[in-house]
Amino acid sequence: MAPTLTVAPVPTVKAHKGATAVVTFKAVLPPGYHANSNTPTDAYLIPLTLKWTGGPLQADGITYPKPSQEKYSFSEKPLSVVTGEFSISTKFKVPADAPTGASAQNGTLRYQACNDRMCFAPKTVPVSLSLDIE
Amino acid sequence: MAIAGVAAILGLIACSPSRPVRQGSLVKEDSQRKHAPDFALKDANGKLVHLADYKGKVVVLDFWATWCGPCVVEIPWFTEFQRKYKDRGFEVVGVSMDDEGWKAITPFVERRKINYRVLLGDDKTGDQYGGLEALPTTFLIDRSGRIASVHVGLSGKKEFEDAIEELLEAPAGPAGDTSVSANGADAHRGTGAHS
């Protein structure tokens, strides 16, 4: 059974025009599974990747979780991975001409998970933030 | 009591009309084998390859991907098997499930010095072989084109080799069922186990 990465809902983000906002969301992988970090140890490995694809805010930097170096039965060297619950933060710029009121910022989180003996196809899960722009 | 029960089971196996498998073998008995679905996939040169092209041979059909660490462990084994058994009617066929296609596969094949044919897989073929939820998933196919064992996850080199030897020594059996179950041909999952 392929593991599902769960993204926890984020409370509505209050953002002020012309300012910046840092938004953090949590994601959880089931026990026994890992996903490559955003900086995997081999070029062939698929990195954890957050992309903001639509919405009034401008992403101005993403902070990925600090990876752990884990050794698995299939790897000669430790791999740079994330496991369990982890957080990803994004710094957004709020344009001065952003629309006032409620809106949404949408993105995707791509990951590729394995356990100690097998790997699962890369998956992309949607990430959505509710915004209240003042 | 338990010993008597085991003895009775062994006796039943011995009386089975199917050709018996080796003791402790991971290879299915003849009567349990189903026909491996044919496919039409392209190799790096664009040549269309069918499983039926390998009729009469023992085939290791390995579904893998460049991003799959456990798959990478098995590749040197398959390269060795290809070299060691090729002259006895044996072939390894690797089916890559990389979304990026040959752009990802070709340099990997060169770097790993893979000496067997690699094909680019697709969803249709994956579905035919039970969905391939996890990689590696490897099918051992007998000379009659039937699935003799399925290995999901990282398996043991000796287990593969023992099964290959057994299939190479066996004569071609009768034609099998023409279907594969939707859950990966009754594969054992999670421990690199087999069926």
Side-chain angles (χ1 to χ4, degrees):
Chain A
M1 186 74 172
T4 301
L5 184 148
T6 307
V7 176
V10 178
T12 298
V13 177
K14 286 194 176 294
H16 299 275
K17 293 180 186 180
T20 59
V22 176
V23 180
T24 300
F25 67 84
K26 289 181 178 176
V28 183
L29 269 173
Y33 297 95
H34 64 269
N36 298 314
S37 75
N38 63 309
T39 53
T41 48
D42 188 298
Y44 288 104
L45 300 178
I46 294 172
L48 183 71
T49 306
L50 173 64
K51 285 184 180 173
W52 293 107
T53 53
L57 308 187
Q58 297 170 353
D60 188 32
I62 295 171
T63 303
Y64 286 93
K66 185 181 178 186
S68 55
Q69 304 294 318
E70 302 285 343
K71 179 86 174 62
Y72 297 96
S73 64
F74 61 81
S75 60
E76 291 178 0
K77 298 175 183 175
L79 300 180
S80 176
V81 301
V82 294
T83 58
E85 182 179 292
F86 56 90
S87 299
I88 303 179
S89 297
T90 306
K91 182 181 176 185
F92 289 106
K93 286 182 179 174
V94 188
D97 60 352
T100 302
S103 58
Q105 190 79 16
N106 297 310
T108 57
L109 182 62
R110 187 172 192 239
Y111 68 100
Q112 192 271 304
C114 299
N115 63 22
D116 202 35
R117 305 199 65 85
M118 61 188 73
C119 289
F120 304 88
K123 280 190 178 177
T124 300
V125 293
V127 180
S128 185
L129 304 175
S130 296
L131 307 175
D132 182 9
I133 298 175
E134 296 174 343
Chain B
M1 186 72 171
I3 293 172
V6 171
I9 292 167
L10 289 174
L12 284 173
I13 291 171
C15 294
S16 166
S18 295
R19 179 160 34 81
V21 295
R22 288 178 181 174
Q23 190 173 7
S25 173
L26 298 170
V27 172
K28 293 178 183 177
E29 287 188 53
D30 274 353
S31 60
Q32 301 299 313
R33 297 179 193 173
K34 295 179 178 177
H35 212 82
D38 197 13
F39 53 71
L41 298 172
K42 288 183 178 176
D43 68 10
N45 299 317
K47 183 182 177 186
L48 205 57
V49 177
H50 298 81
L51 180 63
D53 298 341
Y54 295 91
K55 191 177 178 184
K57 294 187 176 184
V58 171
V59 175
V60 165
L61 182 64
D62 175 42
F63 290 89
W64 66 287
T66 58
W67 44 258
C68 166
C71 304
V72 175
V73 173
E74 295 182 338
I75 285 173
W77 308 344
F78 297 151
T79 300
E80 181 184 327
F81 297 158
Q82 175 72 12
R83 187 169 55 245
K84 188 172 177 181
Y85 298 112
K86 184 175 173 57
D87 294 341
R88 293 173 60 187
F90 171 83
E91 293 285 344
V92 179
V93 179
V95 180
S96 169
M97 301 305 285
D98 281 85
D99 287 340
E100 292 183 32
W102 295 109
K103 180 184 164 191
I105 303 165
T106 302
F108 187 94
V109 167
E110 290 172 359
R111 181 177 157 193
R112 298 278 171 179
K113 296 183 169 55
I114 295 176
N115 63 350
Y116 50 85
R117 179 173 263 167
V118 174
L119 310 174
L120 178 59
D122 56 22
D123 289 344
K124 180 186 170 191
T125 306
D127 289 344
Q128 285 179 306
Y129 279 84
L132 304 177
E133 195 171 50
L135 298 178
T137 296
T138 305
F139 296 80
L140 263 63
I141 298 171
D142 68 16
R143 292 185 191 277
S144 300
R146 299 167 307 161
I147 296 171
S149 68
V150 187
H151 306 243
V152 180
L154 179 62
S155 299
K157 181 182 178 186
K158 186 176 185 309
E159 292 161 359
F160 274 125
E161 192 150 26
D162 287 350
I164 291 166
E165 287 273 10
E166 185 173 346
L167 292 175
L168 285 172
E169 289 171 13
D177 191 330
T178 55
S179 63
V180 172
S181 66
N183 65 352
D186 306 325
H188 293 174
R189 294 175 185 274
T191 59
H194 323 82
S195 70

